[in-house]
Amino acid sequence: MSEKLRVGILGGTGMVGQRFVSLLENHPWFEVVSIAASARSAGKTYEEAVGGRWKMDTPMPESVKKIVVKNVAEVEAVASEVDFCFSAVDMTKDEIKKIEEEYAKTETPVVSNNSAHRWTPDVPMIVPEINPEHLEVIESQKKRLGTTNGFICVKPNCSIQSYTPVLTAWKEFEPSLAVVTTYQAISGAGKTFKDWPEMEHNIIPYIGGEEEKSEKEPLRVWGHVENGVIVPAEGPVITSQCIRVPVLNGHTAAAFVNLNKKPSKDELIQAMESFSGEPQSLGLPSAPKQFIRYMTEDDRPQVRLDVDYENGYGITIGRLREDSYFDWKFVGLSHNTVRGAAGGGVLMAELLKAKGYIKAK
């Protein structure tokens, strides 16, 4: 019998759910044993439920093809089979909040890709290299939920991954203002070009709710724990625009930054390239060896060449230069469905396991 932790994927037939399935194939710690989705998929094998909608570049793993999909609303039936769940359900925010708490109350930890609980005060929103100390609010959350082992932990918005790690690496230089424009891939909307042909040769200068997330979520990630809740940081001030572009995978950010201190370019690059966190020190299976890579070429990073850096778990930065109005400007790139979505969830689950929050039932 496998000693791996038994994993359920809630919302396993959608794009992020498929990415979870793909990333967990042959994972050294986790094994997918249960997949849940909407009532229309329930009772079918995973292969049948997905049908021709498999959106990953790699084939569907053989190990999941014959898993019979459960109705995600049958909480006890799914929870009884697993040690913890990844959540990528496609529901309204209120429905997501409710069902994730229902799973947590069965003593099943929930690692969520959804935004519904990102502002619940006692739910940690984690970028594992940046704010692992926020996990301590889980104990307060358990008291609220009345659980011993069940809790919810979420990851932040996919687009902030391409610039927030840089501002974190530059913390000693005291960032005060960031103006950021993100150029976001269509997979961030759960689409491929087959699903969304009107995105070919097109740009849409609006993504609903995205600018508020881009401006506010980094502040929660940089916040501190006080009296069992997370108190967001007050700065730096971030203002953003978010644009949908005809790219399948990879969110690019163009950022302009003011710093209270005046480091050299070499000091800024050194701070980025040396930045690491608990995933690296703990040697987590999915952790990038180097979280932030700086490229000196004028035409990098490029989505085609750089989006899969460190298997999609790393971040690539380029074009760091002084600005005529702001202090510095740079371009960042992150993989939106790996680091920014399912992969960020997998890395978070690895951190939770390593620190004893997730264990076999």
Side-chain angles (χ1 to χ4, degrees):
M1 185 174 177
S2 173
E3 294 182 3
K4 295 181 181 181
L5 292 178
R6 302 167 301 155
V7 175
I9 301 175
L10 313 179
T13 58
M15 179 173 274
V16 174
Q18 291 179 23
R19 181 66 75 180
F20 274 121
V21 167
S22 179
L23 291 174
L24 292 168
E25 184 179 16
N26 301 318
H27 192 281
W29 293 359
F30 307 142
E31 181 178 2
V32 178
V33 300
S34 184
I35 298 173
S38 65
R40 67 179 176 272
S41 295
K44 300 175 183 177
T45 66
Y46 185 64
E47 187 175 30
E48 291 168 343
V50 173
R53 297 180 296 109
W54 182 253
K55 299 179 180 183
M56 301 296 104
D57 294 332
T58 54
M60 181 184 291
E62 291 293 329
S63 59
V64 301
K65 285 183 176 180
K66 302 307 178 188
I67 290 177
V68 176
V69 177
K70 287 185 166 54
N71 186 334
V72 73
E74 295 176 355
V75 176
E76 292 287 347
V78 178
S80 66
E81 295 184 337
V82 303
D83 296 312
F84 76 98
C85 287
F86 290 109
S87 176
V89 291
D90 183 14
M91 299 175 172
T92 68
K93 282 194 175 183
D94 286 342
E95 289 171 336
I96 292 169
K97 281 185 175 182
K98 181 174 182 291
I99 201 163
E100 289 183 347
E101 287 199 357
E102 286 175 357
Y103 274 91
K105 287 176 179 178
T106 68
E107 302 295 354
T108 305
V110 178
V111 177
S112 180
N113 184 73
N114 299 303
S115 64
H117 274 293
R118 287 182 190 159
W119 290 92
T120 302
D122 59 9
V123 172
M125 183 172 72
I126 300 292
V127 178
E129 287 88 351
I130 295 177
N131 61 330
E133 69 280 2
H134 285 193
L135 295 179
E136 66 183 74
V137 301
I138 287 172
E139 295 308 317
S140 297
Q141 185 192 150
K142 287 177 181 176
K143 289 178 183 176
R144 174 174 63 85
L145 296 176
T147 60
T148 303
N149 297 308
F151 62 87
I152 302 161
C153 190
V154 302
K155 54 151 291 299
N157 183 260
C158 51
S159 67
I160 77 168
Q161 313 284 338
S162 51
Y163 58 91
T164 300
V166 175
L167 299 179
T168 306
W170 290 351
K171 184 178 179 181
E172 64 183 297
F173 307 123
E174 299 178 5
S176 59
L177 172 65
V179 178
V180 182
T181 300
T182 55
Y183 303 87
Q184 299 186 204
I186 64 172
S187 59
K191 305 287 189 181
T192 66
F193 287 110
K194 180 181 176 182
D195 308 322
W196 204 0
E198 59 267 37
M199 271 309 301
E200 292 189 33
H201 313 295
N202 194 21
I203 283 176
I204 298 176
Y206 173 73
I207 306 172
E210 201 75 4
E211 290 171 1
E212 182 181 8
K213 295 173 186 175
S214 299
E215 294 170 357
K216 301 300 183 186
E217 288 188 15
L219 300 179
R220 190 166 195 260
V221 170
W222 292 324
H224 66 278
V225 177
E226 185 177 311
N227 298 323
V229 301
I230 296 164
V231 179
E234 295 184 359
V237 173
I238 301 173
T239 183
S240 75
Q241 293 194 97
C242 300
I243 299 172
R244 189 72 73 192
V245 295
V247 167
L248 179 59
N249 293 311
H251 286 354
T252 299
F256 298 78
V257 182
N258 279 342
L259 306 169
N260 289 332
K261 296 186 177 179
K262 303 304 174 187
S264 67
K265 181 176 179 178
D266 285 344
E267 287 176 316
L268 291 170
I269 293 172
Q270 170 64 21
M272 285 190 287
E273 294 203 311
S274 63
F275 181 74
S276 65
E278 288 198 13
Q280 288 72 35
S281 62
L282 293 169
L284 300 180
S286 300
K289 290 182 174 58
Q290 184 178 353
F291 182 27
I292 305 174
R293 170 181 66 168
Y294 183 73
M295 305 195 75
T296 58
E297 296 90 338
D298 288 338
D299 61 353
R300 303 285 283 276
Q302 293 182 29
V303 170
R304 282 178 180 249
L305 300 176
D306 303 312
V307 74
D308 291 319
Y309 167 63
E310 291 276 19
N311 297 314
Y313 285 90
I315 290 153
T316 302
I317 306 299
R319 303 209 68 213
L320 176 64
R321 59 222 191 273
E322 292 187 74
D323 184 62
S324 58
Y325 184 81
F326 296 91
D327 292 333
W328 296 92
K329 52 191 172 185
F330 67 86
V331 175
L333 172 66
S334 60
H335 197 305
N336 57 295
T337 66
V338 181
R339 168 55 75 165
V346 171
L347 189 60
M348 183 162 58
E350 293 171 359
L351 178 67
L352 288 161
K353 178 188 181 299
K355 297 179 82 68
Y357 289 97
I358 290 177
K359 50 199 170 187
K361 285 183 178 175

